Amino acid sequence: MTTAPLTFDGPLDRARLCRDRHDRLVTALREQSLDVLVLLGQANVLYATGARLPSRDQSEALHRRAAAVVTADGAAPVVWTWAPDSVPDALGTDVREGLELEWDEGAARLAGALPAGRLAADDLTMPCWAALAGRDPADASLALTAAKIVKTPDELECIRRAQAINEAAIADVESVAVPGVAATEVSGRFLRRILELGATGNTVDPVWQVMAPAIADGPYSVTGDVVFPTVTTARRFAAGDVVFVDTGVHYEGYQSDYGHTWVIGDVDDEHRDHARRWVDTVDAVEEVVKPGVTARDLTRAAGEVDGRRPWLAHLYLAHGMGTDSAEMPFVGTDLGDDFDESVVLAPGMVLVFEPVIWDDGHGGFRAEDIVAVTDDGYERLSNLSFEAYDIRR
């Protein structure tokens, strides 16, 4: 097994990537009559400036987060960061020393540096809320969604690369998941492998969830639906286990999403039937995907499988993906059909389809298929194999 990173032939212009994202944010601010955008969410800071923080313990990362400011006049953004070397030169970004925004002093310094005008923010700490009380910050999510929902060619290339790394690592560790092996051991091998292959970070604590055959046998949920995902433990796999897999790694800050169902041991006819129904459901939905189609058209195409909506009540039929592992567009949420009617597909949108086929008492099947909307249909960005289930797609 080689430890060299994967190589890619697709074009990726990192400077253009940064410029295009900044231009989109500026346009979104102007369209929504906003003057100043304050960003503390790390995926949003990366989107606005290209700044990435090195991987670290989550509690430390929260206290030493980066912050960014974008203005509607199109001036170079400002970023406060503890990792100044991670900020690319493409935007002429004003790079400043990191702020401790969980404390009043750091929040006051940030507030004092902001230009005048109508302000929006994404993820303020409590001291920042107090420091900005007189500015009445608006919710930044509308401007961010407007900028991020359609991906540029460079963004799509980053997602392709992230997904290729994710799937290559899965291919290298899947054989480890055998009776007697702990799920945490599979996690360790997977995390080592993604870094060897060139991932710039991990997003999802790898999930290898052994599914009980019936909802009543598993963890309790207020929705009364299948519980997924749960935290990976040192539980050892046993022959016959049905495992829902979910992993997410990123490349240059862009996410991937691998979902599949593994059977520990022999695959039987019931397993094959679950997988076939999942493939049939996704194929029926993807047949509809093209510009101008609504999210409601997609949920309508999914229909019901054996009298059941084929996705989890607490999740969705599909979600978008970019610098966040789940972002707009969302399809089939608890916001209902009216919301789905309002979501219209456009070229450059990314959709991660993740229906779940479930026969209570007999288990089920879950996987994730990623597509990008094109001018006349879609391009598949994931490459799932169903050979274990004797399915040729």
Side-chain angles (χ1 to χ4, degrees), residues 102-123:
E102 298 288 345
W103 305 98
D104 292 340
E105 180 182 355
R109 287 176 58 194
L110 174 64
L114 299 179
R118 187 164 180 245
L119 180 71
D122 68 339
D123 188 25

Side-chain angles (χ1 to χ4, degrees), residues 204-205 207 209 211 226-232 244 246 312 314-315 366:
V204 176
D205 185 8
V207 176
Q209 182 176 336
M211 304 302 295
V226 179
V227 174
F228 177 84
T230 59
V231 176
T232 294
F244 281 9
D246 195 3
L312 299 184
H314 60 283
L315 292 176
R366 173 193 177 274

Side-chain angles (χ1 to χ4, degrees), residues 259 273-283 310 353-357 365-369 384 386 393:
D273 176 62
H274 291 158
R276 167 52 64 191
R277 285 152 58 199
W278 185 93
V279 170
D280 289 347
T281 300
V282 172
D283 285 351
F353 291 105
E354 54 173 316
V356 174
I357 301 301
F365 186 96
R366 173 193 177 274
E368 294 181 273
D369 209 30
L384 296 181
F386 299 91
R393 198 175 185 194

Side-chain angles (χ1 to χ4, degrees), residues 6-14 153-168 194 197-200 249-252 254-256 381:
L6 293 184
T7 57
F8 301 98
D9 296 328
L12 175 59
D13 186 326
R14 291 170 174 81
D154 291 312
E155 290 182 289
L156 292 175
E157 179 60 22
C158 287
I159 294 171
R160 285 189 196 94
R161 295 184 182 193
Q163 188 66 20
I165 291 169
N166 198 343
E167 292 177 359
I194 63 171
L197 291 169
T200 49
V249 310
H250 63 78
Y251 181 88
E252 297 288 339
Y254 282 84
Q255 307 296 328
S256 62
L381 304 182

Side-chain angles (χ1 to χ4, degrees), residues 6-80:
L6 293 184
T7 57
F8 301 98
D9 296 328
L12 175 59
D13 186 326
R14 291 170 174 81
R16 180 178 60 196
L17 173 67
C18 289
R19 292 193 300 269
D20 287 346
R21 294 185 307 205
H22 183 254
D23 289 346
R24 289 187 175 203
L25 279 176
V26 169
T27 298
L29 290 175
R30 292 172 178 172
E31 289 177 346
Q32 297 180 30
S33 300
L34 295 169
D35 301 299
V36 184
L37 184 64
V38 181
L39 303 172
L40 271 64
Q42 298 307 279
N44 294 332
V45 171
L46 181 143
Y47 185 87
T49 68
R52 288 191 291 109
L53 287 181
S55 298
R56 62 181 71 195
D57 179 83
Q58 179 70 3
S59 60
E60 182 182 2
L62 287 172
H63 282 273
R64 295 174 68 86
R65 68 176 75 189
V69 171
V70 178
T71 53
D73 60 8
V78 181
V79 63
W80 291 263

Side-chain angles (χ1 to χ4, degrees), residues 102-246:
E102 298 288 345
W103 305 98
D104 292 340
E105 180 182 355
R109 287 176 58 194
L110 174 64
L114 299 179
R118 187 164 180 245
L119 180 71
D122 68 339
D123 188 25
L124 297 179
T125 63
M126 290 306 296
C128 285
W129 277 113
L132 294 171
R135 299 287 298 269
D136 191 23
D139 184 354
S141 61
L142 292 179
L144 288 164
T145 296
K148 297 172 70 173
I149 191 168
V150 171
K151 276 36 180 197
T152 68
D154 291 312
E155 290 182 289
L156 292 175
E157 179 60 22
C158 287
I159 294 171
R160 285 189 196 94
R161 295 184 182 193
Q163 188 66 20
I165 291 169
N166 198 343
E167 292 177 359
I170 285 288
D172 288 340
V173 305
E174 185 174 1
S175 62
V176 176
V178 296
V181 171
T184 47
E185 180 177 340
V186 182
S187 290
R189 295 192 181 206
F190 175 80
L191 293 172
R192 181 182 67 187
R193 192 70 183 120
I194 63 171
L195 296 178
E196 292 172 346
L197 291 169
T200 49
N202 184 68
T203 307
V204 176
D205 185 8
V207 176
W208 327 95
Q209 182 176 336
V210 176
M211 304 302 295
I215 293 173
D217 298 334
Y220 172 76
S221 168
V222 294
T223 67
D225 205 343
V226 179
V227 174
F228 177 84
T230 59
V231 176
T232 294
T233 70
R235 180 195 187 281
R236 297 184 181 277
F237 295 123
D241 282 346
V242 174
V243 183
F244 281 9
V245 176
D246 195 3

